[in-house]
Coordinates of all heavy atoms in Angstrom, one line a residue:
M23 N -169.4 -25.3 237.3 CA -169.7 -26.7 237.7 C -169.6 -26.8 239.2 O -168.7 -26.3 239.8 CB -168.8 -27.7 237.0 CG -169.0 -29.1 237.4 SD -170.7 -29.7 237.1 CE -170.5 -30.7 235.7
L24 N -170.6 -27.5 239.8 CA -170.7 -27.7 241.2 C -169.7 -28.8 241.6 O -169.5 -29.8 240.9 CB -172.1 -28.1 241.5 CG -172.5 -28.3 243.0 CD1 -172.4 -27.0 243.7 CD2 -173.9 -28.9 243.1
H25 N -169.1 -28.7 242.7 CA -168.1 -29.7 243.2 C -168.6 -30.2 244.6 O -169.4 -29.6 245.2 CB -166.8 -29.0 243.3 CG -166.2 -28.5 242.1 ND1 -165.8 -29.3 241.1 CD2 -166.1 -27.2 241.6 CE1 -165.4 -28.5 240.1 NE2 -165.6 -27.3 240.4
G26 N -167.9 -31.3 245.0 CA -168.1 -31.8 246.3 C -169.4 -32.7 246.5 O -169.9 -33.3 245.6
E27 N -169.8 -32.7 247.8 CA -170.9 -33.5 248.2 C -172.2 -33.2 247.5 O -172.9 -34.1 247.1 CB -171.0 -33.4 249.7 CG -172.1 -34.3 250.4 CD -171.7 -35.8 250.4 OE1 -170.5 -36.1 250.0 OE2 -172.5 -36.6 250.7
H28 N -172.5 -31.9 247.3 CA -173.8 -31.6 246.7 C -173.8 -32.1 245.2 O -174.8 -32.7 244.8 CB -173.9 -30.1 246.6 CG -174.3 -29.4 247.9 ND1 -173.4 -28.7 248.6 CD2 -175.5 -29.4 248.6 CE1 -174.0 -28.3 249.7 NE2 -175.2 -28.7 249.7
A29 N -172.7 -32.0 244.5 CA -172.6 -32.5 243.2 C -172.8 -34.0 243.2 O -173.5 -34.6 242.3 CB -171.3 -32.2 242.5
R30 N -172.1 -34.7 244.0 CA -172.2 -36.2 244.1 C -173.7 -36.6 244.4 O -174.2 -37.5 243.7 CB -171.3 -36.7 245.2 CG -171.2 -38.3 245.3 CD -170.3 -38.7 246.4 NE -170.9 -38.5 247.7 CZ -171.9 -39.2 248.2 NH1 -172.5 -40.1 247.6 NH2 -172.4 -38.9 249.4
L31 N -174.3 -36.0 245.3 CA -175.7 -36.4 245.6 C -176.7 -36.1 244.4 O -177.5 -36.9 244.1 CB -176.2 -35.6 246.8 CG -175.5 -36.0 248.1 CD1 -175.9 -35.1 249.3 CD2 -175.8 -37.5 248.5
L32 N -176.5 -35.0 243.8 CA -177.4 -34.7 242.6 C -177.1 -35.6 241.5 O -178.1 -36.1 240.9 CB -177.1 -33.2 242.2 CG -177.6 -32.1 243.1 CD1 -177.1 -30.8 242.7 CD2 -179.2 -32.2 243.2
V33 N -175.9 -36.0 241.2 CA -175.6 -36.9 240.1 C -176.2 -38.3 240.5 O -176.7 -39.0 239.6 CB -174.1 -37.0 239.9 CG1 -173.7 -38.2 239.0 CG2 -173.6 -35.7 239.2
Q34 N -176.0 -38.7 241.7 CA -176.6 -40.0 242.2 C -178.1 -40.1 242.0 O -178.6 -41.2 241.7 CB -176.3 -40.2 243.7 CG -175.0 -40.8 244.0 CD -174.9 -41.0 245.5 OE1 -175.6 -40.5 246.3 NE2 -173.9 -41.8 245.9
R35 N -178.7 -39.0 242.1 CA -180.2 -38.9 241.9 C -180.6 -38.6 240.5 O -181.8 -38.2 240.2 CB -180.8 -37.9 242.9 CG -180.7 -38.5 244.3 CD -180.9 -37.5 245.4 NE -180.9 -38.1 246.7 CZ -179.8 -38.5 247.4 NH1 -178.6 -38.3 246.9 NH2 -179.9 -39.0 248.6
A36 N -179.7 -38.7 239.5 CA -180.0 -38.6 238.1 C -180.2 -37.1 237.6 O -180.8 -36.9 236.6 CB -181.1 -39.5 237.7
Y37 N -179.8 -36.1 238.4 CA -179.9 -34.8 237.9 C -178.9 -34.5 236.9 O -177.8 -35.0 236.9 CB -179.8 -33.8 239.1 CG -181.0 -33.7 240.0 CD1 -181.2 -34.6 241.0 CD2 -182.0 -32.8 239.7 CE1 -182.4 -34.5 241.8 CE2 -183.2 -32.7 240.5 CZ -183.3 -33.5 241.5 OH -184.4 -33.5 242.3
T38 N -179.2 -33.6 236.0 CA -178.2 -33.2 234.9 C -178.2 -31.7 234.8 O -179.0 -31.0 235.5 CB -178.7 -33.8 233.5 OG1 -179.9 -33.2 233.2 CG2 -178.7 -35.3 233.5
D39 N -177.4 -31.1 234.0 CA -177.3 -29.7 233.8 C -177.1 -29.0 235.1 O -177.8 -28.0 235.4 CB -178.5 -29.1 233.1 CG -178.7 -29.8 231.7 OD1 -177.7 -30.1 231.0 OD2 -179.8 -30.0 231.4
I40 N -176.2 -29.4 236.0 CA -176.0 -28.9 237.3 C -175.1 -27.7 237.2 O -174.0 -27.8 236.7 CB -175.4 -29.9 238.2 CG1 -176.2 -31.2 238.3 CG2 -175.1 -29.4 239.6 CD1 -175.6 -32.4 238.9
T41 N -175.6 -26.5 237.7 CA -174.7 -25.3 237.8 C -174.9 -24.7 239.1 O -175.9 -24.8 239.8 CB -175.1 -24.3 236.7 OG1 -176.5 -24.0 236.8 CG2 -174.9 -24.9 235.3
Q42 N -173.9 -23.9 239.5 CA -173.9 -23.2 240.8 C -173.7 -21.7 240.5 O -172.8 -21.4 239.7 CB -172.9 -23.7 241.7 CG -172.8 -23.0 243.1 CD -171.8 -23.6 244.0 OE1 -171.1 -24.5 243.7 NE2 -171.8 -23.0 245.2
G43 N -174.5 -20.9 241.1 CA -174.3 -19.4 241.0 C -173.1 -19.0 241.8 O -172.5 -19.7 242.5
E44 N -172.8 -17.7 241.7 CA -171.7 -17.1 242.4 C -172.0 -17.1 243.9 O -173.1 -17.0 244.3 CB -171.5 -15.7 241.9 CG -171.1 -15.5 240.5 CD -169.7 -16.2 240.2 OE1 -168.8 -16.0 241.1 OE2 -169.6 -16.8 239.2
L45 N -170.9 -17.2 244.7 CA -171.1 -17.1 246.1 C -171.3 -15.6 246.5 O -170.7 -14.7 246.0 CB -169.8 -17.5 246.9 CG -169.6 -19.0 246.9 CD1 -168.2 -19.3 247.5 CD2 -170.7 -19.7 247.6
V46 N -172.3 -15.4 247.4 CA -172.7 -14.1 247.8 C -172.8 -14.0 249.3 O -173.0 -15.0 250.0 CB -174.0 -13.6 247.2 CG1 -173.9 -13.4 245.7 CG2 -175.1 -14.5 247.5
D47 N -172.6 -12.9 249.9 CA -172.7 -12.7 251.4 C -174.2 -12.5 251.7 O -174.7 -11.4 251.8 CB -171.9 -11.5 251.8 CG -171.8 -11.3 253.3 OD1 -172.5 -12.1 254.0 OD2 -171.1 -10.4 253.8
T48 N -174.9 -13.6 251.8 CA -176.4 -13.6 252.0 C -176.8 -13.0 253.3 O -178.0 -12.6 253.4 CB -176.9 -15.0 251.9 OG1 -176.3 -15.8 252.9 CG2 -176.7 -15.6 250.5
Y49 N -176.0 -12.9 254.3 CA -176.4 -12.3 255.6 C -176.0 -10.9 255.8 O -176.3 -10.3 256.9 CB -175.9 -13.3 256.7 CG -176.4 -14.7 256.5 CD1 -175.6 -15.7 256.0 CD2 -177.7 -15.0 256.9 CE1 -176.1 -16.9 255.8 CE2 -178.2 -16.3 256.7 CZ -177.4 -17.2 256.2 OH -177.9 -18.5 256.0
A50 N -175.3 -10.3 254.9 CA -174.7 -8.9 255.1 C -175.8 -7.9 255.4 O -175.6 -7.0 256.1 CB -173.9 -8.5 253.9
R51 N -177.0 -8.1 254.8 CA -178.1 -7.1 255.0 C -179.2 -7.6 256.0 O -180.3 -7.1 256.0 CB -178.7 -6.8 253.7 CG -177.8 -6.1 252.8 CD -178.5 -5.7 251.5 NE -177.6 -4.9 250.7 CZ -177.9 -4.4 249.5 NH1 -179.2 -4.5 249.1 NH2 -177.1 -3.6 248.8
S52 N -178.8 -8.6 256.8 CA -179.8 -9.1 257.8 C -180.2 -7.9 258.7 O -179.4 -7.1 259.1 CB -179.2 -10.2 258.6 OG -180.0 -10.5 259.7
A53 N -181.4 -7.9 259.1 CA -181.9 -6.9 260.1 C -181.4 -7.1 261.5 O -181.4 -6.3 262.3 CB -183.5 -6.9 260.1
F54 N -180.8 -8.3 261.7 CA -180.3 -8.7 263.0 C -178.8 -8.6 263.1 O -178.1 -9.3 262.4 CB -180.8 -10.1 263.4 CG -182.3 -10.2 263.3 CD1 -182.9 -10.8 262.2 CD2 -183.1 -9.7 264.3 CE1 -184.3 -10.9 262.1 CE2 -184.5 -9.8 264.2 CZ -185.1 -10.4 263.1
E55 N -178.3 -7.8 264.0 CA -176.9 -7.6 264.2 C -176.2 -8.9 264.6 O -175.1 -9.2 264.1 CB -176.6 -6.6 265.3 CG -175.2 -6.5 265.8 CD -174.2 -6.2 264.7 OE1 -174.6 -5.5 263.8 OE2 -173.0 -6.6 264.8
D56 N -176.9 -9.7 265.4 CA -176.3 -11.0 265.8 C -176.1 -11.9 264.6 O -175.1 -12.6 264.5 CB -177.2 -11.7 266.9 CG -176.6 -12.9 267.5 OD1 -175.5 -12.8 268.0 OD2 -177.3 -13.9 267.5
T57 N -177.0 -11.9 263.7 CA -176.9 -12.8 262.5 C -175.7 -12.3 261.7 O -174.9 -13.1 261.2 CB -178.2 -12.7 261.7 OG1 -179.3 -13.3 262.5 CG2 -178.1 -13.5 260.4
R58 N -175.6 -11.0 261.5 CA -174.5 -10.5 260.6 C -173.2 -10.8 261.3 O -172.2 -11.2 260.6 CB -174.7 -8.9 260.5 CG -175.9 -8.5 259.6 CD -175.9 -7.1 259.3 NE -175.7 -6.2 260.4 CZ -176.8 -5.7 261.1 NH1 -178.0 -6.0 260.7 NH2 -176.6 -4.9 262.1
R59 N -173.1 -10.6 262.6 CA -171.8 -10.9 263.3 C -171.4 -12.4 263.2 O -170.3 -12.7 262.9 CB -172.0 -10.5 264.8 CG -170.7 -10.5 265.5 CD -170.8 -9.9 266.9 NE -172.1 -9.6 267.5 CZ -172.8 -10.4 268.2 NH1 -172.4 -11.6 268.5 NH2 -174.0 -10.1 268.6
K60 N -172.4 -13.3 263.4 CA -172.1 -14.7 263.4 C -171.7 -15.1 262.0 O -170.8 -15.9 261.8 CB -173.3 -15.5 263.9 CG -173.4 -15.5 265.4 CD -174.6 -16.2 265.9 CE -174.8 -16.1 267.4 NZ -176.0 -16.8 267.8
A61 N -172.4 -14.6 261.0 CA -172.1 -14.9 259.6 C -170.7 -14.5 259.2 O -170.0 -15.2 258.6 CB -173.2 -14.3 258.6
A62 N -170.3 -13.3 259.6 CA -169.0 -12.8 259.4 C -167.9 -13.7 260.1 O -166.9 -14.0 259.5 CB -168.9 -11.4 259.8
K63 N -168.2 -14.0 261.3 CA -167.3 -14.9 262.1 C -167.0 -16.2 261.4 O -165.9 -16.6 261.4 CB -167.9 -15.1 263.5 CG -167.0 -16.0 264.4 CD -167.7 -16.2 265.7 CE -166.8 -17.2 266.6 NZ -167.4 -17.4 267.9
F64 N -168.0 -16.8 260.9 CA -167.9 -18.1 260.3 C -167.7 -18.1 258.8 O -167.6 -19.1 258.1 CB -169.1 -19.0 260.6 CG -169.2 -19.4 262.1 CD1 -170.1 -18.7 262.9 CD2 -168.3 -20.3 262.7 CE1 -170.2 -19.0 264.3 CE2 -168.3 -20.5 264.0 CZ -169.3 -19.9 264.8
G65 N -167.7 -16.9 258.2 CA -167.5 -16.8 256.7 C -168.7 -17.4 256.0 O -168.5 -17.9 254.9
A66 N -169.9 -17.2 256.5 CA -171.1 -17.8 255.8 C -171.3 -17.1 254.5 O -171.4 -15.9 254.4 CB -172.3 -17.7 256.7
M67 N -171.5 -17.9 253.5 CA -171.8 -17.4 252.1 C -172.9 -18.3 251.6 O -173.1 -19.4 252.0 CB -170.5 -17.5 251.2 CG -169.3 -16.7 251.7 SD -169.6 -14.9 251.6 CE -169.3 -14.7 249.9
G68 N -173.6 -17.8 250.6 CA -174.6 -18.6 250.0 C -174.6 -18.6 248.4 O -174.0 -17.7 247.9
S69 N -175.2 -19.5 247.8 CA -175.3 -19.5 246.3 C -176.6 -20.3 246.0 O -177.1 -21.0 246.8 CB -174.1 -20.0 245.7 OG -174.0 -21.4 245.9
T70 N -176.9 -20.2 244.7 CA -178.0 -21.0 244.2 C -177.5 -22.2 243.4 O -176.4 -22.1 242.8 CB -179.0 -20.2 243.3 OG1 -178.2 -19.7 242.2 CG2 -179.6 -19.1 244.1
I71 N -178.2 -23.3 243.4 CA -177.8 -24.5 242.6 C -179.0 -24.8 241.7 O -180.2 -24.8 242.2 CB -177.6 -25.7 243.5 CG1 -176.4 -25.4 244.4 CG2 -177.3 -26.9 242.7 CD1 -176.1 -26.4 245.5
R72 N -178.7 -24.9 240.4 CA -179.8 -25.3 239.5 C -179.5 -26.6 238.8 O -178.3 -26.9 238.5 CB -179.9 -24.2 238.4 CG -180.9 -24.5 237.3 CD -180.9 -23.5 236.3 NE -181.7 -22.4 236.8 CZ -181.9 -21.3 236.2 NH1 -181.4 -21.1 235.0 NH2 -182.6 -20.3 236.7
A73 N -180.5 -27.5 238.7 CA -180.3 -28.8 238.1 C -181.6 -29.2 237.5 O -182.6 -28.8 237.9 CB -179.8 -29.8 239.2
T74 N -181.5 -30.1 236.5 CA -182.6 -30.7 235.8 C -182.7 -32.2 236.1 O -181.7 -32.9 236.1 CB -182.5 -30.5 234.3 OG1 -182.3 -29.1 234.1 CG2 -183.7 -31.0 233.6
K75 N -183.9 -32.6 236.4 CA -184.1 -34.1 236.5 C -185.0 -34.6 235.4 O -186.2 -34.2 235.3 CB -184.8 -34.4 237.9 CG -184.8 -35.9 238.1 CD -185.0 -36.2 239.6 CE -184.9 -37.7 239.7 NZ -185.0 -38.1 241.1
P76 N -184.5 -35.4 234.5 CA -185.3 -35.9 233.4 C -186.4 -36.7 233.9 O -186.4 -37.4 235.0 CB -184.3 -36.8 232.7 CG -182.9 -36.4 233.1 CD -183.1 -35.9 234.5
R77 N -187.5 -36.7 233.2 CA -188.7 -37.5 233.6 C -188.5 -38.9 233.5 O -188.0 -39.6 232.8 CB -189.9 -37.1 232.7 CG -190.3 -35.7 233.0 CD -191.5 -35.2 232.2 NE -191.7 -33.9 232.5 CZ -192.9 -33.4 232.8 NH1 -193.9 -34.2 232.9 NH2 -193.1 -32.2 233.1

């Protein structure tokens, strides 16, 4: 289950079946050293969010 601000906004907009994928290190394989370094410095992680909006 998704928590925090993203969850609140999705629920406010009538989305249902909200799920969040696992956190992954999305920048670890970046072609750019600077991007990898900054992502590591700030602990940048990414995940997917899936939700359904009824018609």
